[in-house]
Amino acid sequence: MLLPAIPLSRLEHLVGAPRLANVHDALREARTRLDGREVWHVSDNPTRGGVAELLRTTLPHLRGEGIDTRWATIEGNRAFRAFTKALYYRLCGVTANEHENPPDPEGGRALYEQVTRAAAQRLLGVVGRRSVVVLHDHQTAGLIPHLREVGCIVLWQCHVGTPLHAEPARPAWDFLRRYLSAAHGFIASYDGALPAGLPDAPIRVLSPSINPLAPKNLPLHPAVEASRLMARIGVFRQPRPDSTGSGVGDAFAELLLRHPARIDREAGPLPVGTPLVTQVSRWDRVKDIPGVIEAFTDHVDPDFGAHLLLVGPRAAGDPQAEQVLAECREARERRPNRRDRVHLVQIPTDHPTEHALTINAIQRCSTVVLQKSLAEGFGLTVSEAAWKGRPVVASPVGGIRQQIEHGRSGLLLAHARDLSGLGAGVDRLLADPAYARELGENGRRHVRRRFLADSGVLGFARLLSDVA
């Protein structure tokens, strides 16, 4: 895949020249030790999910600073995607279907090895034998022995976090160990993400990071551009033509957003300024979206007048996403007195820039942002919201615990299924706008210190120096 080359100097106005100087020193050392070797990243697809977004954030900067960085994907068939999705649920300790026992991973080993062997053969036609190859997540683990056999340095990076329940996850890790034993090293998003008993190889912790200059994180004026985009999406009512004093907001929305969202709701568009409590995530059982509906409708004080936005990609064509979306609709219908306050928002993903700007506008117009996951690798939606100054209430799982300092830069629940705690946290922020602003401002500073793109590049540059 062709990657752009983006110099880190574009971030200087956000992080300062001294901080970038440290990154440049690390990159210079990595280039020397690599001695012209290519660095390849391999993931399951180029567009869907957090891994693809993370690679689009970091890799162009590495390439822009002289590291010969490349990205390939395996893009397995439908049966392979279904199997690896079931494996993902296993690794998270969450069942794919609450009414069924999770399948035994061993039943899919022949399919898995067939797809990963073919992917490895294709890669070996272009990957240099001295390359450093980083394989991302369980979909790619089967490539490890093939790439190591020809002389590559092979690292496996895990983006799936500690499981909610260890027992369902154990067969999935047992399935992967056969391939992981050939890796030269492992990369985790936070300390403790990988289970005990993995093959004896070094583990490096590299926290993911966000690109503050990407469309998802670019500055938008909440009262102008963001509100106009929200109206264009269909969440807010169209403001009066003269409400902003100029036509800039209208022109911005018309130019940048041509594919509205699909919104399941009982009421029409909301007035601009309506308090919004929002979770942005895939339609995925690990994100516990029906639990968010239950917590909001049963435990958030209706006198605040807040509405709940549950935002995800279009579910059409993904059977499991369609199933979770149907469960969300059922959860809303079970609460007739509050269901008009719950909105299910599907954002089209065919136009990545529009999708990113839509998420940007939704987060900036939200009063409170949630991430009530049952398990999480890192959960960069937390840093994305915090970078925009939004207060976040989230589960204490995975890398979320590194992104939120409880009571200072956000609020952590007591546990992943803490419904009453979510309601109490949201009520506190709705009742005390000054405290909500304080958490949002502290969250933005925390992201600036630790989770902007230069931090991710620095960590990876140091890793390359070590392994090269």
Side-chain angles (χ1 to χ4, degrees):
M1 183 184 308
L2 183 63
L3 290 166
I6 301 177
L8 278 168
S9 58
R10 294 189 182 183
L11 298 175
E12 185 173 333
H13 69 288
L14 292 172
V15 304
R19 182 160 144 180
L20 284 189
N22 290 333
V23 185
H24 285 302
D25 288 344
L27 287 163
R28 191 178 304 112
E29 178 72 13
R31 284 195 301 269
T32 300
R33 295 195 178 193
L34 284 167
D35 191 26
R37 279 181 284 185
E38 302 164 353
V39 180
W40 283 83
H41 290 256
V42 184
S43 66
D44 70 320
N45 79 86
T47 55
R48 300 185 305 273
V51 174
E53 188 165 342
L54 173 64
L55 296 180
R56 288 196 300 270
T57 294
T58 306
L59 303 192
H61 287 304
L62 289 162
R63 191 168 182 84
E65 299 298 329
I67 304 293
D68 189 356
T69 305
R70 312 189 182 200
W71 180 13
T73 58
I74 59 175
E75 286 286 351
N77 57 28
R78 183 185 294 270
F80 177 80
R81 292 196 300 272
F83 171 73
T84 54
K85 188 61 178 275
L87 195 62
Y88 157 76
Y89 278 123
R90 274 278 197 179
L91 291 167
C92 292
V94 177
T95 56
N97 187 320
E98 59 187 351
H99 305 298
E100 299 176 2
N101 293 321
D104 182 357
E106 289 299 328
R109 190 177 292 278
L111 168 67
Y112 182 83
E113 293 191 345
Q114 176 187 4
V115 172
T116 54
R117 186 185 306 112
Q121 290 171 350
R122 289 193 301 271
L123 276 171
L124 290 174
V126 293
V127 173
R129 299 307 195 256
R130 297 174 60 246
S131 297
V132 177
V133 183
V134 183
L135 302 173
H136 292 267
D137 270 344
H138 54 287
Q139 297 96 331
T140 67
L143 282 69
I144 298 173
H146 303 288
L147 294 170
R148 176 158 184 166
E149 185 178 1
V150 300
C152 296
I153 296 175
V154 186
L155 308 174
W156 185 70
Q157 184 161 359
C158 178
H159 300 275
V160 178
T162 305
L164 180 68
H165 302 295
E167 189 55 41
R170 188 171 292 111
W173 283 111
D174 290 343
F175 175 88
L176 292 175
R177 277 190 176 87
R178 176 182 302 184
Y179 316 107
L180 300 182
S181 62
H184 289 94
F186 304 108
I187 305 171
S189 298
Y190 60 93
D191 191 29
L194 294 171
L198 285 182
D200 187 17
I203 298 175
R204 177 67 65 91
V205 175
L206 292 182
S207 297
S209 55
I210 67 169
N211 180 1
L213 305 180
K216 185 184 280 189
N217 300 309
L218 281 173
L220 296 177
H221 192 293
V224 184
E225 291 99 345
S227 292
R228 294 286 178 175
L229 285 169
M230 291 285 276
R232 189 78 176 158
I233 297 163
V235 175
F236 283 164
R237 295 174 190 164
Q238 289 287 351
R240 295 190 309 274
D242 62 346
S243 63
T244 65
S246 75
V248 173
D250 286 324
F252 182 87
E254 180 68 27
L255 177 66
L256 295 178
L257 189 61
R258 301 178 184 276
H259 301 83
R262 178 178 298 167
I263 305 179
D264 288 8
R265 60 186 170 199
E266 291 199 350
L270 306 172
V272 174
T274 299
L276 300 179
V277 179
T278 301
Q279 177 160 307
V280 177
S281 60
R282 301 186 307 274
W283 305 105
D284 185 325
R285 187 159 287 106
V286 173
K287 308 301 180 181
D288 195 26
I289 307 170
V292 175
I293 295 174
E294 182 178 350
F296 178 83
T297 54
D298 293 358
H299 299 287
V300 173
D301 189 341
D303 289 342
F304 289 116
H307 284 244
L308 177 65
L309 293 188
L310 298 165
V311 183
R314 285 277 174 90
D318 183 337
Q320 289 172 328
E322 291 175 339
Q323 181 180 359
V324 171
L325 189 58
E327 292 168 5
C328 293
R329 294 184 180 114
E330 291 171 5
R332 183 180 60 184
E333 291 305 308
R334 289 196 296 269
R335 290 159 174 81
N337 295 331
R338 300 290 303 280
R339 65 190 180 196
D340 62 330
R341 298 280 186 93
V342 178
H343 312 269
L344 308 176
V345 184
Q346 298 181 67
I347 308 296
T349 58
D350 298 339
H351 306 275
T353 299
E354 288 192 24
H355 178 268
L357 283 167
T358 300
I359 300 301
N360 189 340
I362 288 172
Q363 289 176 326
R364 289 188 187 277
C365 289
S366 295
T367 311
V368 180
V369 174
L370 309 176
Q371 192 58 63
K372 206 196 84 62
S373 302
L374 300 178
E376 195 68 70
F378 198 74
L380 272 178
T381 51
V382 171
S383 281
E384 290 166 1
W387 179 245
K388 300 172 181 72
R390 301 297 88 202
V392 181
V393 180
S395 299
V397 296
I400 293 175
R401 292 169 295 182
Q402 277 66 51
Q403 296 174 80
I404 291 180
E405 304 163 294
H406 178 64
R408 176 172 170 76
S409 61
L411 298 177
L412 290 173
L413 304 178
H415 51 82
R417 296 192 185 276
D418 183 12
L419 303 186
S420 62
L422 186 145
V426 170
D427 281 349
R428 183 178 181 187
L429 296 173
L430 293 174
D432 192 346
Y435 182 56
R437 282 194 301 274
E438 178 186 342
L439 292 189
E441 291 165 2
N442 288 340
R444 180 177 169 87
R445 284 192 284 269
H446 187 56
V447 172
R448 186 194 299 272
R449 285 196 306 270
R450 295 191 56 187
F451 303 120
L452 293 188
D454 66 301
S455 297
V457 172
L458 175 62
F460 195 71
R462 288 173 172 169
L463 171 67
L464 288 176
S465 290
D466 290 344
V467 302

